[in-house]
mmCIF file of all heavy atoms in Angstrom:
data_model
loop_
_atom_site.group_PDB
_atom_site.id
_atom_site.type_symbol
_atom_site.label_atom_id
_atom_site.label_comp_id
_atom_site.label_asym_id
_atom_site.label_seq_id
_atom_site.Cartn_x
_atom_site.Cartn_y
_atom_site.Cartn_z
ATOM 1 N N LEU A 128 -8.180 -26.307 -0.625
ATOM 2 C CA LEU A 128 -8.118 -27.766 -0.628
ATOM 3 C C LEU A 128 -9.218 -28.366 -1.516
ATOM 4 O O LEU A 128 -10.106 -27.664 -1.984
ATOM 5 C CB LEU A 128 -8.261 -28.307 0.808
ATOM 6 C CG LEU A 128 -7.152 -27.892 1.789
ATOM 7 C CD1 LEU A 128 -7.373 -28.595 3.126
ATOM 8 C CD2 LEU A 128 -5.765 -28.185 1.249
ATOM 9 N N GLY A 129 -9.128 -29.682 -1.708
ATOM 10 C CA GLY A 129 -10.036 -30.387 -2.601
ATOM 11 C C GLY A 129 -11.414 -30.624 -2.016
ATOM 12 O O GLY A 129 -11.683 -30.352 -0.841
ATOM 13 N N LEU A 130 -12.276 -31.180 -2.848
ATOM 14 C CA LEU A 130 -13.677 -31.361 -2.478
ATOM 15 C C LEU A 130 -13.949 -32.651 -1.706
ATOM 16 O O LEU A 130 -14.876 -32.704 -0.891
ATOM 17 C CB LEU A 130 -14.559 -31.323 -3.735
ATOM 18 C CG LEU A 130 -14.593 -29.999 -4.489
ATOM 19 C CD1 LEU A 130 -15.369 -30.152 -5.794
ATOM 20 C CD2 LEU A 130 -15.205 -28.912 -3.624
ATOM 21 N N SER A 131 -13.150 -33.684 -1.952
ATOM 22 C CA SER A 131 -13.426 -34.964 -1.288
ATOM 23 C C SER A 131 -12.589 -35.107 -0.016
ATOM 24 O O SER A 131 -11.494 -34.553 0.101
ATOM 25 C CB SER A 131 -13.115 -36.129 -2.228
ATOM 26 O OG SER A 131 -11.730 -36.305 -2.376
ATOM 27 N N GLY A 132 -13.128 -35.903 0.929
ATOM 28 C CA GLY A 132 -12.440 -36.106 2.186
ATOM 29 C C GLY A 132 -11.096 -36.789 2.022
ATOM 30 O O GLY A 132 -10.110 -36.415 2.648
ATOM 31 N N GLY A 133 -11.048 -37.806 1.145
ATOM 32 C CA GLY A 133 -9.788 -38.500 0.912
ATOM 33 C C GLY A 133 -8.740 -37.593 0.314
ATOM 34 O O GLY A 133 -7.560 -37.657 0.658
ATOM 35 N N GLU A 134 -9.169 -36.730 -0.595
ATOM 36 C CA GLU A 134 -8.232 -35.776 -1.221
ATOM 37 C C GLU A 134 -7.685 -34.815 -0.166
ATOM 38 O O GLU A 134 -6.487 -34.538 -0.119
ATOM 39 C CB GLU A 134 -8.988 -35.005 -2.312
ATOM 40 C CG GLU A 134 -8.145 -33.987 -3.056
ATOM 41 C CD GLU A 134 -8.959 -33.216 -4.081
ATOM 42 O OE1 GLU A 134 -10.211 -33.383 -4.114
ATOM 43 O OE2 GLU A 134 -8.367 -32.435 -4.832
ATOM 44 N N ARG A 135 -8.558 -34.302 0.699
ATOM 45 C CA ARG A 135 -8.102 -33.361 1.717
ATOM 46 C C ARG A 135 -7.176 -34.011 2.731
ATOM 47 O O ARG A 135 -6.241 -33.368 3.231
ATOM 48 C CB ARG A 135 -9.319 -32.737 2.417
ATOM 49 C CG ARG A 135 -10.136 -31.825 1.521
ATOM 50 C CD ARG A 135 -11.110 -30.976 2.320
ATOM 51 N NE ARG A 135 -12.074 -31.795 3.057
ATOM 52 C CZ ARG A 135 -13.217 -32.235 2.546
ATOM 53 N NH1 ARG A 135 -13.527 -31.975 1.288
ATOM 54 N NH2 ARG A 135 -14.042 -32.948 3.272
ATOM 55 N N ARG A 136 -7.418 -35.282 3.059
ATOM 56 C CA ARG A 136 -6.512 -35.959 3.986
ATOM 57 C C ARG A 136 -5.099 -36.047 3.408
ATOM 58 O O ARG A 136 -4.110 -35.849 4.112
ATOM 59 C CB ARG A 136 -7.068 -37.343 4.322
ATOM 60 C CG ARG A 136 -8.173 -37.317 5.368
ATOM 61 C CD ARG A 136 -8.512 -38.710 5.872
ATOM 62 N NE ARG A 136 -9.192 -39.491 4.855
ATOM 63 C CZ ARG A 136 -10.512 -39.502 4.668
ATOM 64 N NH1 ARG A 136 -11.278 -38.747 5.424
ATOM 65 N NH2 ARG A 136 -11.051 -40.259 3.738
ATOM 66 N N ARG A 137 -5.013 -36.363 2.114
ATOM 67 C CA ARG A 137 -3.687 -36.429 1.475
ATOM 68 C C ARG A 137 -3.049 -35.046 1.427
ATOM 69 O O ARG A 137 -1.832 -34.901 1.606
ATOM 70 C CB ARG A 137 -3.821 -37.023 0.070
ATOM 71 C CG ARG A 137 -4.287 -38.473 0.075
ATOM 72 C CD ARG A 137 -4.476 -39.024 -1.318
ATOM 73 N NE ARG A 137 -3.223 -39.118 -2.066
ATOM 74 C CZ ARG A 137 -3.132 -39.624 -3.281
ATOM 75 N NH1 ARG A 137 -4.219 -40.113 -3.886
ATOM 76 N NH2 ARG A 137 -1.979 -39.673 -3.902
ATOM 77 N N GLN A 138 -3.856 -34.027 1.198
ATOM 78 C CA GLN A 138 -3.311 -32.681 1.147
ATOM 79 C C GLN A 138 -2.869 -32.204 2.536
ATOM 80 O O GLN A 138 -1.885 -31.474 2.659
ATOM 81 C CB GLN A 138 -4.366 -31.735 0.560
ATOM 82 C CG GLN A 138 -4.584 -31.976 -0.916
ATOM 83 C CD GLN A 138 -5.835 -31.321 -1.456
ATOM 84 O OE1 GLN A 138 -6.760 -31.007 -0.710
ATOM 85 N NE2 GLN A 138 -5.859 -31.097 -2.762
ATOM 86 N N ALA A 139 -3.591 -32.630 3.583
ATOM 87 C CA ALA A 139 -3.179 -32.264 4.937
ATOM 88 C C ALA A 139 -1.823 -32.882 5.266
ATOM 89 O O ALA A 139 -0.979 -32.243 5.905
ATOM 90 C CB ALA A 139 -4.225 -32.739 5.955
ATOM 91 N N ALA A 140 -1.603 -34.097 4.799
ATOM 92 C CA ALA A 140 -0.296 -34.729 5.022
ATOM 93 C C ALA A 140 0.803 -33.945 4.307
ATOM 94 O O ALA A 140 1.918 -33.781 4.827
ATOM 95 C CB ALA A 140 -0.338 -36.176 4.529
ATOM 96 N N MET A 141 0.498 -33.439 3.099
ATOM 97 C CA MET A 141 1.491 -32.617 2.374
ATOM 98 C C MET A 141 1.766 -31.338 3.138
ATOM 99 O O MET A 141 2.914 -30.871 3.196
ATOM 100 C CB MET A 141 0.962 -32.270 0.985
ATOM 101 C CG MET A 141 0.748 -33.442 0.055
ATOM 102 S SD MET A 141 0.141 -32.850 -1.569
ATOM 103 C CE MET A 141 -0.702 -34.315 -2.167
ATOM 104 N N LEU A 142 0.726 -30.764 3.722
ATOM 105 C CA LEU A 142 0.893 -29.511 4.448
ATOM 106 C C LEU A 142 1.911 -29.626 5.578
ATOM 107 O O LEU A 142 2.673 -28.698 5.843
ATOM 108 C CB LEU A 142 -0.444 -29.058 5.046
ATOM 109 C CG LEU A 142 -1.380 -28.248 4.155
ATOM 110 C CD1 LEU A 142 -2.698 -28.020 4.883
ATOM 111 C CD2 LEU A 142 -0.751 -26.940 3.754
ATOM 112 N N PHE A 143 1.912 -30.770 6.228
ATOM 113 C CA PHE A 143 2.780 -30.932 7.386
ATOM 114 C C PHE A 143 4.046 -31.700 7.044
ATOM 115 O O PHE A 143 4.619 -32.384 7.880
ATOM 116 C CB PHE A 143 2.005 -31.588 8.520
ATOM 117 C CG PHE A 143 0.972 -30.657 9.069
ATOM 118 C CD1 PHE A 143 -0.354 -30.795 8.718
ATOM 119 C CD2 PHE A 143 1.344 -29.602 9.881
ATOM 120 C CE1 PHE A 143 -1.305 -29.906 9.184
ATOM 121 C CE2 PHE A 143 0.399 -28.710 10.352
ATOM 122 C CZ PHE A 143 -0.914 -28.872 10.015
ATOM 123 N N SER A 144 4.490 -31.537 5.811
ATOM 124 C CA SER A 144 5.776 -32.070 5.403
ATOM 125 C C SER A 144 6.879 -31.125 5.886
ATOM 126 O O SER A 144 6.616 -29.996 6.329
ATOM 127 C CB SER A 144 5.842 -32.219 3.881
ATOM 128 O OG SER A 144 5.844 -30.931 3.272
ATOM 129 N N ALA A 145 8.104 -31.563 5.754
ATOM 130 C CA ALA A 145 9.250 -30.741 6.195
ATOM 131 C C ALA A 145 9.408 -29.507 5.316
ATOM 132 O O ALA A 145 10.076 -28.544 5.706
ATOM 133 C CB ALA A 145 10.535 -31.570 6.166
ATOM 134 N N ASP A 146 8.804 -29.519 4.119
ATOM 135 C CA ASP A 146 8.920 -28.385 3.210
ATOM 136 C C ASP A 146 7.899 -27.292 3.493
ATOM 137 O O ASP A 146 8.042 -26.174 3.028
ATOM 138 C CB ASP A 146 8.741 -28.837 1.759
ATOM 139 C CG ASP A 146 9.859 -29.757 1.294
ATOM 140 O OD1 ASP A 146 10.991 -29.575 1.774
ATOM 141 O OD2 ASP A 146 9.578 -30.649 0.483
ATOM 142 N N LEU A 147 6.846 -27.630 4.246
ATOM 143 C CA LEU A 147 5.779 -26.669 4.461
ATOM 144 C C LEU A 147 5.689 -26.286 5.940
ATOM 145 O O LEU A 147 6.559 -25.616 6.459
ATOM 146 C CB LEU A 147 4.449 -27.252 3.946
ATOM 147 C CG LEU A 147 4.000 -26.692 2.584
ATOM 148 C CD1 LEU A 147 3.015 -27.603 1.895
ATOM 149 C CD2 LEU A 147 3.403 -25.309 2.779
ATOM 150 N N LEU A 148 4.635 -26.697 6.619
ATOM 151 C CA LEU A 148 4.423 -26.208 7.971
ATOM 152 C C LEU A 148 5.398 -26.792 9.000
ATOM 153 O O LEU A 148 5.519 -26.281 10.099
ATOM 154 C CB LEU A 148 2.984 -26.491 8.409
ATOM 155 C CG LEU A 148 1.903 -25.778 7.592
ATOM 156 C CD1 LEU A 148 0.532 -26.094 8.159
ATOM 157 C CD2 LEU A 148 2.137 -24.281 7.571
ATOM 158 N N ARG A 149 6.092 -27.853 8.620
ATOM 159 C CA ARG A 149 7.092 -28.431 9.543
ATOM 160 C C ARG A 149 8.494 -27.943 9.218
ATOM 161 O O ARG A 149 9.466 -28.479 9.739
ATOM 162 C CB ARG A 149 7.029 -29.956 9.506
ATOM 163 C CG ARG A 149 5.776 -30.508 10.153
ATOM 164 C CD ARG A 149 5.810 -32.006 10.259
ATOM 165 N NE ARG A 149 5.655 -32.450 11.636
ATOM 166 C CZ ARG A 149 5.490 -33.718 11.983
ATOM 167 N NH1 ARG A 149 5.500 -34.658 11.053
ATOM 168 N NH2 ARG A 149 5.367 -34.051 13.241
ATOM 169 N N ASP A 150 8.589 -26.944 8.385
ATOM 170 C CA ASP A 150 9.870 -26.351 8.057
ATOM 171 C C ASP A 150 10.422 -25.658 9.311
ATOM 172 O O ASP A 150 9.826 -24.725 9.828
ATOM 173 C CB ASP A 150 9.696 -25.349 6.927
ATOM 174 C CG ASP A 150 11.017 -24.780 6.434
ATOM 175 O OD1 ASP A 150 12.050 -24.962 7.111
ATOM 176 O OD2 ASP A 150 11.015 -24.119 5.376
ATOM 177 N N THR A 151 11.551 -26.126 9.804
ATOM 178 C CA THR A 151 12.098 -25.574 11.040
ATOM 179 C C THR A 151 12.579 -24.144 10.877
ATOM 180 O O THR A 151 12.889 -23.474 11.861
ATOM 181 C CB THR A 151 13.269 -26.445 11.548
ATOM 182 O OG1 THR A 151 14.249 -26.552 10.508
ATOM 183 C CG2 THR A 151 12.771 -27.832 11.938
ATOM 184 N N ALA A 152 12.660 -23.661 9.615
ATOM 185 C CA ALA A 152 13.086 -22.284 9.396
ATOM 186 C C ALA A 152 11.963 -21.291 9.681
ATOM 187 O O ALA A 152 12.191 -20.083 9.693
ATOM 188 C CB ALA A 152 13.561 -22.108 7.945
ATOM 189 N N LEU A 153 10.739 -21.781 9.903
ATOM 190 C CA LEU A 153 9.612 -20.895 10.218
ATOM 191 C C LEU A 153 9.705 -20.458 11.672
ATOM 192 O O LEU A 153 9.336 -21.194 12.578
ATOM 193 C CB LEU A 153 8.285 -21.628 9.954
ATOM 194 C CG LEU A 153 8.011 -22.074 8.536
ATOM 195 C CD1 LEU A 153 6.705 -22.849 8.468
ATOM 196 C CD2 LEU A 153 7.979 -20.884 7.590
ATOM 197 N N ALA A 154 10.221 -19.277 11.880
ATOM 198 C CA ALA A 154 10.438 -18.803 13.241
ATOM 199 C C ALA A 154 9.507 -17.670 13.629
ATOM 200 O O ALA A 154 9.454 -17.290 14.790
ATOM 201 C CB ALA A 154 11.890 -18.343 13.397
ATOM 202 N N ALA A 155 8.766 -17.118 12.668
ATOM 203 C CA ALA A 155 7.856 -16.004 12.939
ATOM 204 C C ALA A 155 6.446 -16.535 13.166
ATOM 205 O O ALA A 155 6.164 -17.711 12.913
ATOM 206 C CB ALA A 155 7.884 -15.038 11.762
ATOM 207 N N PRO A 156 5.536 -15.696 13.652
ATOM 208 C CA PRO A 156 4.131 -16.091 13.754
ATOM 209 C C PRO A 156 3.620 -16.595 12.407
ATOM 210 O O PRO A 156 4.085 -16.155 11.364
ATOM 211 C CB PRO A 156 3.443 -14.784 14.164
ATOM 212 C CG PRO A 156 4.495 -14.013 14.877
ATOM 213 C CD PRO A 156 5.783 -14.327 14.179
#
Side-chain angles (χ1 to χ4, degrees):
L128 298 184
L130 295 173
S131 74
E134 181 182 7
R135 292 194 299 274
R136 281 191 290 272
R137 295 177 65 177
Q138 290 166 338
M141 296 181 204
L142 275 175
F143 291 101
S144 68
D146 294 328
L147 257 159
L148 297 182
R149 289 187 123 172
D150 185 348
T151 56
L153 298 176

